[in-house]
Structure formats: C-alpha cells, structure tokens
C-alpha cells in the first residue's frame, strides 16, 4: 500500500461475506492504515474492528429501507476526505464491483481527478456456495452462473430469460422479504417449480443458516434473516447434499484440532 504524497487516495474495498478471515491480505493492510472508512450496513462488526483505532468510521449504509446518506452525499464525502490528503476506504460487503454502486463512485472520483484503487472481495454468492458446499459450476449439471437480482428499479423484464438454460446456476442477491415473489417470477418465466434451490442466510457468519428446497417449496417457506441469498439450479439438488453430508469437513478439522495441527 503506497501513501500518496499530496492528494489522498480512495480504496474501494470488498469486505467479503462477513467472516473477517475472508478479507484479502491487501484489504486488511489498507484497513489498518486508512484514516477514514465509509462503510455499508452489510459490513460485519469483526471486519470493522480491523480498522485503525483512530480511523474515522462513517456509517453510510441503508437500514430497514431507510437511506442514511444518498449516493451523491457518499460521493461528495469520498472526494472531500481525499482532497484533504487522506487515505479513504469505501468498504462494501462482498465484492465492491458487484451490486454495490461502485460504477457511480468510480465515475465521481474520475471526474474529481482523485486517485482510486479497487481491492476485490469474496462475493456473497461465493460465500453462500461455500456455506452450502455446492459447486456453482459442477460440470455434471451446470455450464454457467448468473449473478442477478430482481430488486432493480429498471422495470420487470430486464432479465434475458432465454439465456437461462436448465444447466444455469442462478445466484439471486437481495431476494427481499417475499421469497414467494421471487419463486413466482422464476416459474412465470419458464423455470420448473421442481428446480432445486438453496437459501443461505448470513453466509460465513456465526448466524449462518442453510435451507434446501425447490422453487415450489420456496414460495411457502419461512423467511430467513437478512442478508440472505438464493442459489437456484441443478447444483442445489438435495441428493448432492446427502452425498456432501457424508463427507463433512468438520470431521477432518476436529481430527486436526485433536492432533494440535494448525489449520
Ligand atoms: C447490495 S447487495 C451487495 C452485494 C455485495 N457487493 C457482494 O458482492 O456480495 C446485498 C446482498 O448481498 C447478499 N449478501 C451479502 N452478504 C451476505 C451474506 N453474508 N450471506 C448471504 N447473503 C449475503 C444479500 O442477498 C444482500 O441482500
């Protein structure tokens, strides 16, 4: 991490899905020296705790639908602190370039001629797949992965449904409070109600929960606490889950712990 001499620099940093060990080394290094950290609601406490003790921490996240700051206000703050010569972090859950409005922020920084750098993070879909222990591209049943959300303001039919083949794994971010609406949209657009899906809530965090269903059951299923993500497609089949259950990695971790091996 290099410190510019005169003007500051903004780092758009991915905080990963929650567990602090899932931060990149580079993210941890920059967090330890940044003077200002603007963070989203999804950034976990243990990750924030890695910031410099004297850093100015600013919560710019949305909570329960209430926006704390507008995107313009966030852009202005980034520019303001960078112009004071500070190292500024824009800390976002998962990866900063996926569903995180980084496009607008980079444009504002470019316009203001502020130097910036992206530090990638582990996106929620990848954290959720790890929690559920499924391969998003298991070559026996999947040929492509679609990262998407239905919560876009850009209208109902922006998704290219024709591109969603039976061997597509769909990772749905921000499924909202009503899984039934998500299930209905998928089924209306030709995805079979029997298609397997997994709901992962709080992937990689202490509160992590995983539910194995299919689209028909999803419509009636209980809602899991936010943040949650849906993985839909043949890779999410329960049969594969049974297979995975018989090879629980914890068995091996416990073995390693009992032998005092570091893991
Ligand atoms: C505004 S999007 C930001 C995505 C983020 N930039 C990323 O790459 O993961 C927020 C959505 O990410 C998903 N998400 C983030 N963290 C999660 C986690 N630990 N477990 C499950 N879903 C998560 C949820 O669907 C949540 O509504």
């Amino acid at each position: 991490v290099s410190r510019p001499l005169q003007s500051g620099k903004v780092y758009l940093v991915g905080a990963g899905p929650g567990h602090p060990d899932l931060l990149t080394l580079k993210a941890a290094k920059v967090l330890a020296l940044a003077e200002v950290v603007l963070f989203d609601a999804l950034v976990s406490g243990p990750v924030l705790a890695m910031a410099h003790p004297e850093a100015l921490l600013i919560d710019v996240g949305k909570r329960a639908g209430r926006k704390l700051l507008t995107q313009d206000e966030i852009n202005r703050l980034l520019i303001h602190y960078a112009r004071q010569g500070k190292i500024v972090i824009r800390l976002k859950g998962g990866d900063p370039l996926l569903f995180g409005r980084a496009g607008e922020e980079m444009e504002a920084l470019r316009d203001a001629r502020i130097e910036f750098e992206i530090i990638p993070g582990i996106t929620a879909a990848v954290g959720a797949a790890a929690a559920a222990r499924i391969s998003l591209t298991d070559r026996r049943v999947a040929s492509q992965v679609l990262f998407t959300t239905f919560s876009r303001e850009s209208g109902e039919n922006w998704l290219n449904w024709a591109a969603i083949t039976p061997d597509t794994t769909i990772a749905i971010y921000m499924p909202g409070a009503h899984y039934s609406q998500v299930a209905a949209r998928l089924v209306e657009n030709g995805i079979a109600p029997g298609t397997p899906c997994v709901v992962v809530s709080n992937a990689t965090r202490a509160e992590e929960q995983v539910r194995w269903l299919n689209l028909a059951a999803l419509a009636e299923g209980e809602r899991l606490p936010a943040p949650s993500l849906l993985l839909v497609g043949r890779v999410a089949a329960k049969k594969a889950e049974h297979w995975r259950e018989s090879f629980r990695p914890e068995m091996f971790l416990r073995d390693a712990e009992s032998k005092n091996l570091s893991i």
Side-chain angles (χ1 to χ4, degrees):
V1 179
S2 59
R3 197 186 198 306
L5 291 178
Q6 278 163 7
S7 77
K9 179 167 173 179
V10 175
Y11 290 88
L12 273 70
V13 177
H19 196 292
D21 290 359
L22 293 176
L23 231 62
T24 61
L25 288 176
K26 191 162 188 180
K29 282 183 194 165
V30 180
L31 252 180
L33 64 80
E35 293 150 292
V36 183
V37 180
L38 281 77
F39 65 96
D40 280 342
L42 274 183
V43 175
S44 69
V47 169
L48 273 183
M50 295 168 75
H52 190 284
E54 279 161 32
L56 174 62
L57 302 181
I58 305 174
D59 183 353
V60 299
K62 285 184 272 180
R63 285 233 179 73
R66 191 175 70 90
K67 276 203 175 85
L68 290 182
L69 288 175
T70 66
Q71 189 58 52
D72 274 348
E73 285 165 339
I74 296 172
N75 297 349
R76 278 200 289 273
L77 279 178
L78 291 173
I79 293 165
H80 169 77
Y81 288 113
R83 286 204 168 129
Q84 290 183 354
K86 298 211 155 84
I87 301 275
V88 183
I89 289 188
R90 177 68 180 100
L91 189 59
K92 293 164 183 284
D95 181 86
L97 302 184
L98 280 172
F99 304 117
R101 304 192 173 198
E104 285 109 301
E105 290 170 6
M106 291 191 287
E107 198 172 290
L109 293 169
R110 264 189 218 108
D111 289 348
R113 299 184 174 279
I114 304 283
E115 190 188 346
F116 67 89
E117 184 178 332
I118 314 297
I119 302 183
I122 295 177
T123 191
V126 171
R133 292 187 224 133
I134 63 177
S135 162
L136 295 176
T137 58
D138 188 323
R139 65 179 185 159
R140 295 165 297 180
V141 287
S143 65
Q144 56 179 357
V145 187
L146 175 67
F147 289 0
T148 191
T149 178
F150 296 162
S151 80
R152 283 277 155 103
E153 291 122 22
S154 48
E156 286 281 300
N157 280 316
W158 66 283
L159 237 179
N160 178 10
W161 292 98
I164 302 180
T165 55
D167 55 2
T168 303
T169 303
I170 317 173
I172 303 173
Y173 290 71
M174 295 171 268
H178 305 291
Y179 298 156
S180 55
Q181 287 171 6
V182 174
R185 287 276 306 279
L186 291 163
V187 172
E188 266 161 32
N189 285 282
I191 317 265
T195 304
C197 65
V198 181
V199 185
V200 183
S201 161
N202 280 295
T204 81
R205 301 175 183 216
E207 314 88 326
E208 179 181 286
Q209 291 186 61
V210 180
R211 289 280 183 288
W212 302 81
L213 306 153
N214 60 30
L215 287 183
L218 178 67
E220 283 133 39
E222 48 153 349
R223 188 189 166 231
L224 295 187
S228 72
L229 186 132
L230 300 182
L231 296 171
V232 180
R234 291 162 70 194
V235 297
K238 196 128 175 106
K239 186 168 158 254
E241 182 213 358
H242 292 320
W243 180 83
R244 280 182 297 272
E245 285 298 305
S246 59
F247 289 94
R248 278 184 173 279
E250 291 87 32
M251 273 173 12
F252 302 105
L253 293 185
R254 240 179 280 142
D255 287 351
E257 273 161 16
S258 67
K259 290 185 187 119
N260 256 343
L261 302 177
S262 66
I263 40 173

